[in-house]
Amino acid sequence: MSAGTDPVRGGGTPAPEGDGDGRRVPGERAVGSTTAHDLAVRHRLLLALAALLTLSLFLSYEGVHGDADPLRTSSAPAVLSLDTALYALGQAEADAGAATPTSDFQKQISVAAQSVAAAGDDAGGPSARQALQTVAALITVYEVKVQQAQQQPTGGVLRAAYLSYATSILSDPGSGILPRLKVLQAQRRAAVHRQTSFGPLLWCGWAVTLLLALALVCALLETQLFLRRRFRRRYNRGLLGAGALLLAGLAVTLLFTVWTHTGMTDTRRLLDRPLSGRELNHAGRATAAYLADTALRAAAAGWILIGGILVMALAETGLRRHIDEYRFRPR
């Protein structure tokens, strides 16, 4: 065998550099290598999936948590206030026929007026507030007519007339106080149902979010394995950091969403029927407990965007050195 002949290949042609054990020789690119293209494809895929996941998770999270604060501060208190007003007016009606003015009647009228005012603060728009202002004015008229009736002799014609007029103000099907309040109550309960509903759009949004998260995890894992095979590096800290941040962030957002939606569902069940007496006090405390910390969890939506940017930055960091190495390699 002559000197300079490759004993393995059996001929006089030198073996290509880097071909013997599958390793690259620094400063050279193997003929027909697809590494640069493979890196670019994985780089674009990771960034695209991370961006889509961030947007989908943000919208899905907001779809649940965005209604929690209006429910806590407006809709639920309005329902409770209207229930209180209806109960108080029912009690006042029972005392209206007393022979003389009673403190119980005045107390119930005062509670009803205060509850209507509170519901006006929590009303869902100008039309609802206007309707409650009308109810408040009618309550004042009702109180005056009952007081006028109680000043008349028992069994007198004027007494009966005043009481009849007061009753019509309270219960007239077209314009009475109670029918007006019941219409407003139905509207606020409908608002509670809308705010606590987890409809098809939200289910679709969360399904897409979970599918994108699974795709991104698989892409990160496949890229890590690709780098291990091609560059003989066991771990890529950038990709591992991106994966860890992704899983931790997704777990936290899912947990927050379950807690918030459970509290909202419990609130809807509690307010889905007329409440009276001691039930009203219990319902007020219960709704406050169910919806506690929802505002804090809703504020976490901003961290989803920050987390998505960090995931993309970590993926970029993990691949950039290898991409630049092949981009500027002399041919």
Side-chain angles (χ1 to χ4, degrees):
M1 181 176 297
S2 61
T5 303
D6 189 338
V8 177
R9 296 182 179 269
T13 304
E17 291 181 323
D19 190 48
D21 60 355
R23 295 173 181 261
R24 292 181 294 101
V25 176
E28 296 293 336
R29 178 185 293 181
V31 177
S33 172
T34 61
T35 302
H37 176 265
D38 293 340
L39 284 170
V41 169
R42 285 165 174 80
H43 176 254
R44 289 193 293 267
L45 178 63
L46 290 178
L47 294 184
L49 285 174
L52 290 173
L53 174 60
T54 300
L55 178 61
S56 179
L57 180 58
F58 177 79
L59 294 177
S60 299
Y61 191 86
E62 273 287 291
V64 175
H65 296 261
D67 287 326
D69 197 52
L71 176 66
R72 180 180 63 85
T73 60
S74 177
S75 299
V79 169
L80 290 173
S81 295
L82 290 171
D83 269 338
T84 301
L86 286 165
Y87 175 74
L89 288 170
Q91 295 297 107
E93 184 180 20
D95 295 328
T100 58
T102 64
S103 60
D104 286 341
F105 175 80
Q106 295 298 330
K107 177 182 176 182
Q108 297 300 336
I109 287 295
S110 177
V111 169
Q114 291 173 5
S115 299
V116 168
D121 294 336
D122 299 321
S127 60
R129 286 191 289 272
Q130 180 63 45
L132 286 168
Q133 289 172 2
T134 301
V135 168
L138 289 174
I139 289 176
T140 300
V141 175
Y142 171 74
E143 179 185 12
V144 169
K145 294 306 175 183
V146 170
Q147 290 173 344
Q148 288 175 337
Q150 292 176 337
Q151 292 171 359
Q152 301 300 319
T154 302
V157 175
L158 282 178
R159 179 185 180 90
Y162 282 132
L163 285 177
S164 175
Y165 186 48
T167 300
S168 67
I169 293 173
L170 185 66
S171 306
D172 185 81
S175 59
I177 296 171
L178 296 181
R180 289 172 185 267
L181 287 177
K182 289 176 182 178
V183 169
L184 291 168
Q185 180 73 298
Q187 293 174 352
R188 300 320 297 157
R189 281 204 171 94
V192 169
H193 275 263
R194 288 194 303 271
Q195 290 166 343
T196 59
S197 174
F198 204 95
L201 190 60
L202 273 179
W203 279 113
C204 181
W206 278 102
V208 170
T209 297
L210 293 177
L211 287 175
L212 287 171
L214 178 61
L216 182 54
V217 168
C218 291
L220 287 168
L221 180 59
E222 192 280 333
T223 303
Q224 172 65 59
L225 295 175
F226 168 79
L227 295 178
R228 178 182 294 186
R229 290 194 308 268
R230 193 62 58 95
F231 296 98
R232 301 297 192 268
R233 295 184 182 276
R234 189 170 185 181
Y235 299 114
N236 183 290
R237 285 179 293 181
L239 297 183
L240 290 178
L245 180 60
L246 167 64
L247 293 176
L250 187 63
V252 170
T253 53
L254 285 173
L255 187 61
F256 280 7
T257 299
V258 170
W259 286 347
T260 294
H261 185 64
T262 299
M264 294 169 73
T265 301
D266 291 340
T267 299
R268 182 186 65 208
R269 290 172 180 168
L270 181 63
L271 301 181
D272 212 22
R273 61 184 179 85
L275 300 172
S276 60
R278 295 180 180 178
E279 292 179 327
L280 289 165
N281 293 329
H282 167 72
R285 292 191 298 269
T287 54
Y290 292 152
L291 300 176
D293 300 325
T294 52
L296 180 63
R297 292 195 288 269
W303 287 98
I304 293 176
L305 301 177
I306 296 173
I309 293 172
L310 288 176
V311 168
M312 288 187 280
L314 287 169
E316 170 75 17
T317 301
L319 290 178
R320 177 52 54 189
R321 181 169 60 85
H322 299 298
I323 292 174
D324 289 343
E325 182 181 354
Y326 269 82
R327 177 179 296 172
F328 299 110
R329 184 181 301 280
R331 297 182 181 275

Short mmCIF file of all heavy atoms in Angstrom, two decimals, residues 84-106:
data_model
loop_
_atom_site.label_atom_id
_atom_site.label_comp_id
_atom_site.label_asym_id
_atom_site.label_seq_id
_atom_site.Cartn_x
_atom_site.Cartn_y
_atom_site.Cartn_z
N THR A 84 -83.12 43.01 48.13
CA THR A 84 -83.38 43.65 49.42
C THR A 84 -84.52 44.64 49.31
O THR A 84 -85.40 44.70 50.20
CB THR A 84 -82.10 44.38 49.90
OG1 THR A 84 -81.03 43.44 50.02
CG2 THR A 84 -82.35 45.03 51.25
N ALA A 85 -84.55 45.43 48.24
CA ALA A 85 -85.64 46.40 48.05
C ALA A 85 -86.99 45.70 47.91
O ALA A 85 -87.99 46.12 48.51
CB ALA A 85 -85.35 47.26 46.82
N LEU A 86 -87.01 44.62 47.13
CA LEU A 86 -88.27 43.90 46.94
C LEU A 86 -88.76 43.30 48.26
O LEU A 86 -89.96 43.35 48.58
CB LEU A 86 -88.08 42.79 45.90
CG LEU A 86 -87.97 43.26 44.45
CD1 LEU A 86 -87.43 42.15 43.56
CD2 LEU A 86 -89.34 43.73 43.95
N TYR A 87 -87.85 42.73 49.03
CA TYR A 87 -88.23 42.14 50.31
C TYR A 87 -88.72 43.22 51.27
O TYR A 87 -89.75 43.06 51.95
CB TYR A 87 -87.04 41.40 50.92
CG TYR A 87 -87.31 40.86 52.30
CD1 TYR A 87 -88.12 39.75 52.49
CD2 TYR A 87 -86.75 41.47 53.42
CE1 TYR A 87 -88.39 39.26 53.76
CE2 TYR A 87 -86.99 40.98 54.69
CZ TYR A 87 -87.82 39.88 54.87
OH TYR A 87 -88.06 39.40 56.13
N ALA A 88 -88.02 44.34 51.33
CA ALA A 88 -88.41 45.42 52.24
C ALA A 88 -89.77 46.00 51.86
O ALA A 88 -90.61 46.29 52.75
CB ALA A 88 -87.35 46.51 52.23
N LEU A 89 -90.04 46.15 50.58
CA LEU A 89 -91.33 46.68 50.16
C LEU A 89 -92.46 45.69 50.46
O LEU A 89 -93.58 46.09 50.78
CB LEU A 89 -91.30 47.01 48.67
CG LEU A 89 -90.47 48.25 48.30
CD1 LEU A 89 -90.30 48.36 46.79
CD2 LEU A 89 -91.13 49.52 48.85
N GLY A 90 -92.16 44.41 50.34
CA GLY A 90 -93.16 43.41 50.72
C GLY A 90 -93.50 43.49 52.19
O GLY A 90 -94.68 43.39 52.58
N GLN A 91 -92.48 43.68 53.02
CA GLN A 91 -92.72 43.84 54.45
C GLN A 91 -93.47 45.14 54.75
O GLN A 91 -94.34 45.19 55.62
CB GLN A 91 -91.38 43.83 55.20
CG GLN A 91 -90.63 42.51 55.12
CD GLN A 91 -91.39 41.37 55.78
OE1 GLN A 91 -91.92 40.50 55.09
NE2 GLN A 91 -91.46 41.39 57.10
N ALA A 92 -93.13 46.20 54.03
CA ALA A 92 -93.81 47.48 54.23
C ALA A 92 -95.29 47.38 53.86
O ALA A 92 -96.16 47.96 54.53
CB ALA A 92 -93.13 48.57 53.41
N GLU A 93 -95.58 46.66 52.80
CA GLU A 93 -96.97 46.50 52.38
C GLU A 93 -97.80 45.81 53.46
O GLU A 93 -98.98 46.16 53.69
CB GLU A 93 -97.03 45.69 51.09
CG GLU A 93 -98.42 45.56 50.51
CD GLU A 93 -98.45 44.75 49.22
OE1 GLU A 93 -97.49 43.99 48.99
OE2 GLU A 93 -99.41 44.88 48.46
N ALA A 94 -97.17 44.87 54.16
CA ALA A 94 -97.89 44.18 55.24
C ALA A 94 -98.20 45.11 56.41
O ALA A 94 -99.19 44.91 57.13
CB ALA A 94 -97.06 42.99 55.72
N ASP A 95 -97.34 46.14 56.60
CA ASP A 95 -97.56 47.09 57.70
C ASP A 95 -98.37 48.30 57.28
O ASP A 95 -98.71 49.14 58.14
CB ASP A 95 -96.20 47.56 58.24
CG ASP A 95 -95.40 46.43 58.87
OD1 ASP A 95 -96.03 45.51 59.43
OD2 ASP A 95 -94.15 46.45 58.78
N ALA A 96 -98.67 48.41 55.99
CA ALA A 96 -99.34 49.62 55.51
C ALA A 96 -100.77 49.73 56.03
O ALA A 96 -101.31 50.84 56.16
CB ALA A 96 -99.33 49.65 53.98
N GLY A 97 -101.40 48.63 56.31
CA GLY A 97 -102.80 48.67 56.76
C GLY A 97 -102.96 48.87 58.24
O GLY A 97 -104.10 48.80 58.75
N ALA A 98 -101.87 49.13 58.98
CA ALA A 98 -101.98 49.35 60.43
C ALA A 98 -102.81 50.60 60.72
O ALA A 98 -102.86 51.54 59.93
CB ALA A 98 -100.59 49.49 61.04
N ALA A 99 -103.45 50.59 61.86
CA ALA A 99 -104.34 51.70 62.22
C ALA A 99 -103.58 53.00 62.38
O ALA A 99 -104.11 54.08 62.07
CB ALA A 99 -105.09 51.35 63.50
N THR A 100 -102.36 52.92 62.89
CA THR A 100 -101.54 54.12 63.08
C THR A 100 -100.17 53.89 62.46
O THR A 100 -99.75 52.75 62.25
CB THR A 100 -101.36 54.42 64.58
OG1 THR A 100 -100.75 53.27 65.22
CG2 THR A 100 -102.71 54.71 65.25
N PRO A 101 -99.46 54.97 62.14
CA PRO A 101 -98.11 54.80 61.56
C PRO A 101 -97.22 53.97 62.49
O PRO A 101 -97.26 54.12 63.72
CB PRO A 101 -97.60 56.24 61.44
CG PRO A 101 -98.85 57.07 61.36
CD PRO A 101 -99.85 56.38 62.24
N THR A 102 -96.45 53.08 61.93
CA THR A 102 -95.58 52.20 62.70
C THR A 102 -94.12 52.43 62.32
O THR A 102 -93.80 52.81 61.19
CB THR A 102 -95.93 50.71 62.46
OG1 THR A 102 -95.67 50.39 61.09
CG2 THR A 102 -97.39 50.45 62.78
N SER A 103 -93.26 52.15 63.28
CA SER A 103 -91.82 52.29 63.01
C SER A 103 -91.34 51.23 62.03
O SER A 103 -90.40 51.46 61.27
CB SER A 103 -91.04 52.19 64.32
OG SER A 103 -91.28 50.94 64.95
N ASP A 104 -92.00 50.07 62.05
CA ASP A 104 -91.60 49.00 61.12
C ASP A 104 -91.80 49.43 59.67
O ASP A 104 -90.97 49.16 58.80
CB ASP A 104 -92.40 47.73 61.41
CG ASP A 104 -91.94 47.02 62.68
OD1 ASP A 104 -90.81 47.31 63.13
OD2 ASP A 104 -92.70 46.19 63.20
N PHE A 105 -92.95 50.10 59.42
CA PHE A 105 -93.21 50.57 58.05
C PHE A 105 -92.15 51.57 57.62
O PHE A 105 -91.59 51.47 56.52
CB PHE A 105 -94.60 51.21 57.98
CG PHE A 105 -94.90 51.83 56.64
CD1 PHE A 105 -95.30 51.04 55.58
CD2 PHE A 105 -94.75 53.20 56.44
CE1 PHE A 105 -95.57 51.62 54.33
CE2 PHE A 105 -95.01 53.77 55.22
CZ PHE A 105 -95.43 52.99 54.16
N GLN A 106 -91.84 52.52 58.48
CA GLN A 106 -90.83 53.52 58.14
C GLN A 106 -89.46 52.87 57.94
O GLN A 106 -88.70 53.26 57.05
CB GLN A 106 -90.75 54.57 59.25
CG GLN A 106 -92.02 55.41 59.41
CD GLN A 106 -92.32 56.21 58.15
OE1 GLN A 106 -91.41 56.61 57.41
NE2 GLN A 106 -93.60 56.46 57.89
#
